Amino acid sequence: MISKLVSGLNPSATVEIQETLAQLTAKGVDVVRLNAGEPDMPTPAHIVDAGINALREGKTRYTPAAGILPLREAIAEKLERDNGLHYESSGIVVTTGAKQALVNALLAVIDPGDEVIILTPAWVSYPDMVKIAGGVPVFVPTGPGYQPDIRAIERAITPKTKLILINSPNNPTGAVYTEEKLHALADLIAERKLWVLSDEIYEKLIYKGKTHTSVVSLRPELAERALIVNGFSKAFAMTGWRAGYLAAPKPIAKAATILAGHMTSNVTTFVQWACLAALGGGDTCIEAMRDVFAARQTVIEGLLNELPGFTAGPVDGAFYMMPDVTGVFGRTVAGVTIESSAQLAHVMLEKAHVAVIPGEAFFSPGTLRFSYCVSEADIREGISRIGQLLGG
Ligand code: PMP
Ligand code: GLU
């Protein structure tokens, strides 16, 4: 029998769909993939070269479980430079993607029954990660523009609340939290003496002249109970390399390192050297990718709002948009009366060969997540197929 812990978990919808799409592709079906949460650009050449050179130089042995010292130092410098956060290398753990940073951070601070506030729509894995750590996810819907609803968060806090999870720029909504909301969150977290886990993996993907602020930088006392998660996947187009990091108070970083020491040991050695090159290479490659995403963002926002029954508010970051599609409910599409966004996503895949992720996967029924990690031509093709499906 499967353990109680694992039977209580759901498969990751964003990961699982890759298998379905691989099967469709193998059958020769041409699917427009507006589902993928990964940059479609190759990893920049200087990073690839650094990985190859590391392999050739024999950097193929175990490293400390927390990662090589030069990389931890470079991450600490990056946090200072980009985010105004002060960490020493002993507060940094290099992890197998941001995923491992999230899980090990939660395992390090959550005791059974501790409540963790998660703002919805939320990335698919957060609640299950909280459950893996023995915690209880508490969902709090965001307000207009997918911005945090501070009053609703206040109301959700109980004596059992241990931590609040923040993700700005946000997956799945693309929202970048306003300075006003971030200040209000920082004040609330400080006053209630909560832990905060800030997942900043999309920090470099912000458009329309907006910038990223780490909530933890707004009140210095937050650092005592802050877990900063970030990674290389999105900013440097390095999803398959599996590298991320956790910055935390030293005892927590040590606890996360103990966990890594038993479960994975170090992140692949030559990958760590490539990450060092990524951090040392300046932001030029990031800016080039950001310009591409910014142009696509404008295109997809306009096109989504032209679809009957779709409403997509303006957002400023990541590479996602999450239109409300309740306007389609009750309509008959390809012979099916649509009653949920999961059903609509299914019909879109089956009949129009366009893949998106239904809002249900992000605890947000009535919405669909569109990712714009494909060319502008593919975005236009995908939305035009949906337009024909809805119109026909
Ligand atoms: N956090 C968020 C919000 C994400 O969208 C993702 C998706 N990849 C991750 C963390 C995990 O990223 P990775 O493990 O590839 O670093
Ligand atoms: N995070 C990305 C997404 O939301 C990649 C898939 C995953 O790891 O969940 O699509």
Side-chain angles (χ1 to χ4, degrees), residues 142-144 146-151 153 166 176-189 215 218:
T142 49
Y146 295 124
Q147 291 289 326
D149 178 343
I150 306 296
R151 296 285 157 267
I153 298 170
I166 309 283
V176 176
Y177 294 170
T178 62
E179 289 286 319
E180 189 199 336
K181 293 289 183 188
L182 287 169
H183 276 281
L185 279 171
D187 291 345
L188 183 63
I189 293 162
V215 66
L218 296 176

Side-chain angles (χ1 to χ4, degrees), residues 67-108:
I68 54 172
L69 189 58
L71 179 56
R72 281 183 282 151
E73 283 171 349
I75 291 167
E77 272 166 35
K78 179 259 173 239
L79 291 169
E80 183 78 52
R81 182 179 66 232
D82 291 357
N83 311 111
L85 299 169
H86 318 299
Y87 287 94
E88 290 172 30
S89 55
S90 50
I92 310 289
V93 187
V94 182
T95 55
T96 304
K99 278 189 182 173
Q100 192 196 15
L102 288 162
V103 174
N104 285 358
L106 290 165
L107 284 169

Side-chain angles (χ1 to χ4, degrees), residues 12-18 35-38 99 123-125 171-172 201-202 233-234 239 242 319-320 357 362 369 371:
S12 163
T14 50
V15 173
E16 217 183 24
I17 193 174
Q18 289 164 19
N35 60 286
E38 60 176 344
K99 278 189 182 173
W123 180 48
V124 55
S125 291
N171 178 6
I201 193 158
Y202 293 98
S233 288
K234 316 292 171 167
T239 45
R242 311 305 306 128
F319 31 57
Y320 307 109
I357 310 278
F362 305 103
R369 188 191 79 174
S371 155

Side-chain angles (χ1 to χ4, degrees), residues 95-320:
T95 55
T96 304
K99 278 189 182 173
Q100 192 196 15
L102 288 162
V103 174
N104 285 358
L106 290 165
L107 284 169
V109 301
I110 297 299
D111 280 315
D114 283 347
E115 291 177 0
V116 173
I117 292 182
I118 297 174
L119 310 185
T120 58
W123 180 48
V124 55
S125 291
Y126 291 150
D128 282 339
M129 288 171 162
V130 168
K131 286 192 224 157
I132 289 170
V136 180
V138 174
F139 295 108
V140 179
T142 49
Y146 295 124
Q147 291 289 326
D149 178 343
I150 306 296
R151 296 285 157 267
I153 298 170
E154 271 179 329
R155 284 197 299 273
I157 296 174
T158 75
K160 288 189 177 168
T161 308
K162 179 77 175 271
L163 180 145
I164 174 161
L165 216 156
I166 309 283
N167 172 222
S168 173
N170 186 269
N171 178 6
T173 66
V176 176
Y177 294 170
T178 62
E179 289 286 319
E180 189 199 336
K181 293 289 183 188
L182 287 169
H183 276 281
L185 279 171
D187 291 345
L188 183 63
I189 293 162
E191 278 152 25
R192 301 299 185 97
K193 296 204 167 2
L194 298 178
W195 284 78
V196 57
L197 194 167
S198 183
D199 178 348
E200 306 188 3
I201 193 158
Y202 293 98
E203 67 163 333
K204 299 290 180 186
L205 297 173
I206 300 199
Y207 321 115
K208 304 175 187 163
K210 303 275 170 63
T211 49
H212 171 71
T213 301
S214 172
V215 66
V216 180
S217 68
L218 296 176
R219 294 219 16 188
E221 68 267 43
L222 291 190
E224 290 165 27
R225 291 181 306 278
L227 311 163
I228 307 275
V229 169
N230 207 326
F232 296 85
S233 288
K234 316 292 171 167
F236 296 101
M238 291 178 71
T239 45
W241 295 72
R242 311 305 306 128
Y245 52 91
L246 169 69
K250 286 178 195 172
I252 303 298
K254 195 170 170 198
T257 306
I258 291 172
L259 288 167
H262 288 302
M263 293 200 276
T264 51
S265 289
N266 60 276
V267 170
T268 308
T269 302
F270 65 86
V271 168
Q272 294 189 56
W273 289 98
C275 289
L276 185 61
L279 288 180
D283 276 3
T284 317
C285 62
I286 296 178
E287 278 153 20
M289 288 192 259
R290 181 168 51 216
D291 290 348
V292 172
F293 283 124
R296 292 177 185 171
Q297 203 276 332
T298 311
V299 170
I300 194 165
E301 187 181 316
L303 293 175
L304 283 175
N305 280 304
E306 285 170 18
L307 289 174
F310 279 52
T311 319
V315 287
D316 306 319
F319 31 57
Y320 307 109

